[in-house]
Amino acid sequence: DPASTQRLASVNSAGRPLETSADLAHIFFRSCRPSIATRGRLGVVPNFDYSGWPGQSAFLEGTQRIGANDRVWLAQESRELPGAVRVLFEAMPDAEKHRWRLVVADDDPGCSINGVFSRWPSAEWLVTARHHAALAGAWAGSRVVVIATNEKLRAVARELSCPLITPDADADTVANALAIAQPARAPETSADLAMEACAAFVRTAA
C-alpha cells in the first residue's frame, strides 16, 4: 500500500526503485471468485491476536439495528486460539449466541483451498478483523467494515474505501459504520497491480 511504500522509501539508502503494488490474493480472488453477497446476511470475522474483544458487547448491540435475517460468525481458520473466532463465539452469552451460527470454512483437513473457498458464506455486510477476509468481501460485493487492530487492516480499509472501526467501538459507531458501508466493487485494479508485480519479479530474475 502507499503508506508502506513511503516507509520503505524513507530507509531505502541504496536508492532501489520502489512501487506500490497489491496483495497477491487478488489474483486468486479474480480467478476463483467468492459467491455473490447474500442479501440480508451479516458476517463477522473477528480476530484479536491472543487478546479479548473489548467492544464485543457493543458490537452485538449495534448489529441488531440493521435488517439482517442471517447472522454468520465466520471462522477463517479452525484453530481455537485466544482472541480468535471460535473462542470469541463460545464466550458469548447464550442469549446472544442463539442469534448467530458458527461457520468454519476449513473444517475439512484434506480439502483444497478452492473447496474451502466454495464454503465461504458471502454476506451483504461483512465486519472483519482479518485482512484476507476483507479482500474476499470486496470481491463478493459485500458492504465491508474493517475492525482496525493494526496498520495492515487500516491499509486495506483505505484500499477498499470502506468504513473503519476500532476494537472498542460503541454500539452507535458500529451501527453507523454498517449503515454507511457501500457494496464493494471487485478490485480489478488491485489484481492488475499484483499481476504486474509478479511479472516484474520474473523479469528481474530472468
Side-chain angles (χ1 to χ4, degrees):
D1 69 287
S4 297
T5 304
Q6 291 176 1
R7 290 191 183 93
L8 289 171
S10 69
V11 296
N12 183 21
S13 58
R16 294 185 175 89
L18 294 171
E19 294 182 12
T20 299
S21 185
D23 195 300
L24 299 185
H26 285 296
I27 300 172
F28 170 76
F29 290 137
R30 180 153 67 180
S31 63
C32 185
R33 296 202 178 202
S35 59
I36 298 299
T38 298
R39 186 173 177 81
R41 176 181 290 162
L42 166 64
V44 58
V45 189
N47 178 64
F48 297 97
D49 292 331
Y50 301 95
S51 299
W53 185 358
Q56 183 168 346
S57 295
F59 170 81
L60 294 170
E61 179 186 341
T63 58
Q64 292 184 37
R65 304 180 192 177
I66 62 170
N69 53 37
D70 182 22
R71 297 167 186 267
V72 176
W73 201 271
L74 178 55
Q76 184 174 297
E77 59 181 359
S78 59
R79 293 180 296 174
E80 295 190 22
L81 300 173
V85 179
R86 299 182 72 160
V87 171
L88 292 169
F89 179 80
E90 292 302 328
M92 270 198 294
D94 290 340
E96 286 291 346
K97 195 181 298 183
H98 81 275
R99 302 177 190 272
W100 298 81
R101 58 189 179 95
L102 176 66
V103 175
V104 183
D106 70 340
D107 59 355
D108 179 359
C111 192
S112 68
I113 188 170
N114 285 357
V116 170
F117 205 51
S118 70
R119 297 197 296 271
W120 187 269
S122 297
E124 179 176 354
W125 297 274
L126 176 68
V127 183
T128 179
R130 299 298 296 260
H131 177 83
H132 289 112
L135 299 186
W139 283 94
S142 300
R143 301 172 185 268
V144 180
V145 175
V146 172
I147 304 173
T149 62
N150 55 44
E151 179 55 33
K152 187 176 182 181
L153 285 159
R154 286 187 283 272
V156 78
R158 290 192 295 268
E159 177 187 351
L160 302 177
S161 299
C162 61
L164 193 69
I165 61 174
T166 59
D168 61 351
D170 61 29
D172 288 341
T173 300
V174 172
N176 182 64
L178 290 166
I180 67 174
Q182 298 297 310
R185 292 185 177 183
E188 297 284 355
T189 300
S190 295
D192 290 340
L193 286 170
M195 283 293 292
E196 176 53 33
C198 291
F201 176 80
V202 171
R203 288 194 298 269
T204 301

